[in-house]
Amino acid sequence: DAHAGPSITVVSANPKEELPRGRQVRIEHKCGSALNLQDLAALDVTRFETVILLSTTAMGFSLEQSDAMLLTTANLLITLRRRARSPPPQHLLAAMQDPASMPLLRSTCARGGLEPDTVYANELESGCIAQVVWTPDLQVIYEDFLDVGGGELTLVDAAFFAAPPARMTFSQLSLLALEKGAVALGVMKANGKLLLSPDKAEAMLIERGDRVALFGEVRAR
């Protein structure tokens, strides 16, 4: 293969998967299952710098089933990494459905040298990821988001920014996040409701148990 640039390998059970053509990226499809150890071994999956695990809710699986499948694949990746000789660092980006699954994913990945990040995916966020992948002008963002040393999406206790209960606008919250070296994307309420990019001028109540969705790692006070 004469291709020397970046490449993307898509694995799915559909033998006739239709994929867009990349102008700067080689894209290939492999028929298989991310839940099958033999299929992943045949791909030599430990050689990839980044592995992206997508949600299966669009296929009719529940939120819990989708997260369980992603955790299963993460365990299979670790099994293969343990079999490999000195595997390189690997970044795992998983489209989790429940933020409560993240601690389990992190503990799982820590056992096998995987660097995990999560995207709490819905159709809007999935569309944004697709734009980042296929639009050459967004290459810098893509590289920062997906390389092992890049930024990450995290949920941080809102008390880090203001002692609850507190009223503030999302604009004020965004400025506090910037001072800590991160970008605020929204607020995850204690009841699990995600307020993604809310009105910056409208005051909102920050309550105990609320968390702030951030891109980047916040610096200590």
Side-chain angles (χ1 to χ4, degrees), residues 88-107:
Q90 196 166 40
H91 187 199
L92 179 68
L93 180 61
M96 306 297 286
Q97 298 297 317
D98 185 356
S101 301
M102 186 56 190
L104 183 55
L105 178 67
R106 286 193 179 278
S107 63

Side-chain angles (χ1 to χ4, degrees), residues 9-17 19 28-45 52-53 56 59 69 73 76:
T9 300
V10 178
V11 181
S12 76
N14 186 353
K16 296 183 179 180
E17 192 78 49
L19 301 173
E28 61 177 339
H29 170 255
K30 297 291 184 181
C31 186
S33 171
L35 299 174
N36 186 294
L37 185 64
Q38 286 70 35
D39 287 350
L40 294 177
L43 284 170
D44 190 14
V45 72
I52 303 176
L53 303 180
T56 56
M59 300 166 61
M69 290 177 180
T73 301
L76 294 179

Side-chain angles (χ1 to χ4, degrees), residues 41-61:
L43 284 170
D44 190 14
V45 72
T46 58
R47 66 187 170 90
F48 292 100
E49 180 182 347
T50 300
V51 175
I52 303 176
L53 303 180
L54 301 179
S55 167
T56 56
T57 54
M59 300 166 61
F61 293 98

Side-chain angles (χ1 to χ4, degrees), residues 79-175:
T79 298
L80 293 173
R81 287 180 61 80
R82 287 176 173 172
R83 292 181 182 178
R85 293 184 178 179
S86 303
Q90 196 166 40
H91 187 199
L92 179 68
L93 180 61
M96 306 297 286
Q97 298 297 317
D98 185 356
S101 301
M102 186 56 190
L104 183 55
L105 178 67
R106 286 193 179 278
S107 63
T108 298
C109 291
R111 296 187 288 106
L114 287 173
E115 297 283 345
D117 276 329
T118 59
V119 175
Y120 300 108
N122 54 32
E123 291 182 2
L124 174 61
E125 292 170 344
S126 297
C128 290
I129 292 174
Q131 289 181 39
V132 169
V133 173
W134 307 126
T135 305
D137 293 340
L138 297 178
Q139 183 178 359
V140 174
I141 298 174
Y142 172 73
E143 290 176 348
D144 180 65
F145 187 73
L146 292 182
D147 70 18
V148 173
E152 63 177 41
L153 290 172
T154 55
L155 286 169
V156 175
D157 191 331
F160 184 82
F161 300 102
R167 281 198 173 275
M168 64 172 55
T169 64
F170 188 64
S171 177
Q172 293 171 318
L173 185 58
S174 298
L175 288 174

